[in-house]
């Protein structure tokens, strides 16, 4: 086994079975404590495709304001919200601004670990098909659509945040836990997403996450925050 640091958030792990990848930690976010993180990545800026994979467990579904998973800003004028939860039990997936989104209803259960993948593919001919959402490996049905989702993601000129609204850090804070947040610079296929979801093993009662540098995923993985794991 070999491990070396690519950046503060990505560790290259080669030839390592999932049983040997520690996954004992997750990051907790408390909506009342202004807990959020900066994601030092430009992977979402000006691209024609990307995918975001994350495990979440929400403490607050269906009440209060939206709870942001990941967002970025284009200057200080318009938002580029990448994955946003929850208005009711909805997930809203944005690229462009808050007027350009796909909405997916009823995909989150409170207090349950759920795997979500948002896929953005600007090459899709129909604007409403450019943003897709997968839950636990399965493509979700879009319930509503608004605006014209662009063929290129806006150039992000400010920071990318985990767990808060980037235009107003400290607002719309996620309430719960997140783990294994990863960004890929391509629109992952359904089988690849299913591979990520299914590639786990329970070791000593703890669910271990797949090595994202295996199975052909390594060439497109540009950000991997293990949320406290080694």
């Amino acid at each position: 086994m070999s491990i070396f640091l690519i950046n503060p958030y990505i560790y290259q792990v080669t030839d390592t079975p999932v049983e040997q990848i520690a996954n004992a930690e997750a990051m907790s976010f408390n909506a009342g404590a202004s807990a959020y993180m900066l994601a030092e990545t430009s992977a979402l800026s000006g691209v024609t495709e990307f995918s975001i994979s994350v495990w979440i467990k929400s403490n607050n579904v269906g009440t209060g304001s939206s709870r942001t998973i990941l967002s970025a800003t284009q200057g200080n004028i318009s938002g580029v919200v990448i994955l946003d939860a929850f208005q009711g039990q909805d997930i809203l997936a944005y690229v462009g601004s808050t007027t350009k989104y796909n909405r997916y209803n009823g995909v989150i259960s409170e207090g349950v670990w759920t795997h979500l993948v948002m896929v953005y593919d600007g090459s899709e001919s129909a604007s409403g098909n450019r943003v897709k959402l997968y839950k636990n490996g399965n493509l979700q049905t879009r319930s509503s659509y608004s605006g014209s989702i662009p063929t290129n993601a806006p150039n992000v000129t400010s920071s990318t945040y985990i767990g808060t609204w980037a235009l107003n850090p400290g607002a719309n804070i996620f309430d719960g836990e997140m783990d294994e947040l990863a960004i890929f610079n391509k629109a992952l296929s359904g089988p690849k997403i299913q591979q990520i979801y299914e590639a786990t093993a329970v070791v000593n009662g703890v669910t271990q996450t797949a090595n994202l540098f295996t199975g052909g995923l390594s060439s497109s993985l540009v950000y991997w925050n293990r949320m406290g794991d080694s």
Side-chain angles (χ1 to χ4, degrees):
M1 178 181 71
S2 62
I3 303 176
F4 59 88
L5 185 67
I6 296 178
N7 66 38
Y9 302 101
I10 300 181
Y11 290 84
Q12 173 75 69
V13 186
T14 59
D15 301 324
T16 308
V18 67
E19 293 86 351
Q20 295 181 20
I21 300 178
N23 190 36
E25 305 294 337
M27 193 66 67
S28 295
F29 297 80
N30 187 328
S34 297
Y36 55 86
M37 303 170 61
L38 278 172
E40 297 177 2
T41 176
S42 59
L44 305 174
S45 184
V47 296
T48 58
E49 58 182 311
F50 60 77
S51 302
I52 300 166
S53 170
V54 64
W55 286 88
I56 66 167
K57 182 168 69 172
S58 174
N59 295 333
N60 191 335
V61 172
T63 59
S65 61
S66 60
R67 307 293 180 181
T68 302
I69 296 172
L70 185 74
S71 69
T73 61
Q74 183 186 14
N76 58 4
I77 299 173
S78 62
V80 186
V81 180
I82 307 304
L83 192 59
D84 187 68
F86 311 90
Q87 296 182 356
Q89 289 178 286
D90 300 349
I91 291 287
L92 289 90
Y94 300 93
V95 172
S97 74
T98 56
T99 62
K100 303 172 183 179
Y101 62 82
N102 283 347
R103 180 191 294 265
Y104 302 86
N105 284 347
V107 298
I108 296 299
S109 298
E110 192 168 294
V112 176
W113 278 108
T114 303
H115 184 236
L116 297 176
V117 177
M118 173 188 165
V119 176
Y120 166 63
D121 186 353
S123 68
E124 287 280 358
S125 58
S127 178
N129 294 333
R130 290 174 189 152
V131 174
K132 298 181 176 69
L133 183 74
Y134 290 77
K135 173 194 173 186
N136 294 339
N138 296 311
L139 179 64
Q140 301 298 285
T141 300
R142 184 181 72 240
S143 63
S144 65
Y145 159 69
S146 178
S148 179
I149 297 172
T151 57
N152 286 75
N155 287 310
V156 176
T157 56
S158 187
S159 298
T160 301
Y161 287 86
I162 300 170
T164 191
W165 176 241
L167 283 177
N168 185 14
N172 302 99
I173 293 177
F174 183 77
D175 185 5
E177 296 178 77
M178 289 191 216
D179 205 5
E180 305 299 334
L181 192 153
I183 301 174
F184 302 84
N185 63 4
K186 67 179 296 183
L188 294 179
S189 65
K192 286 296 181 185
I193 292 168
Q194 190 74 29
Q195 172 188 320
I196 295 172
Y197 171 65
E198 292 182 344
T200 60
V202 177
V203 182
N204 296 325
V206 178
T207 300
Q208 311 285 46
T209 300
N211 179 357
L212 297 181
F213 284 95
T214 63
L217 293 167
S218 58
S219 62
S220 59
L221 180 62
V222 293
Y223 179 91
W224 185 14
N225 192 324
R226 306 232 41 232
M227 297 293 188
D229 295 320
S230 60

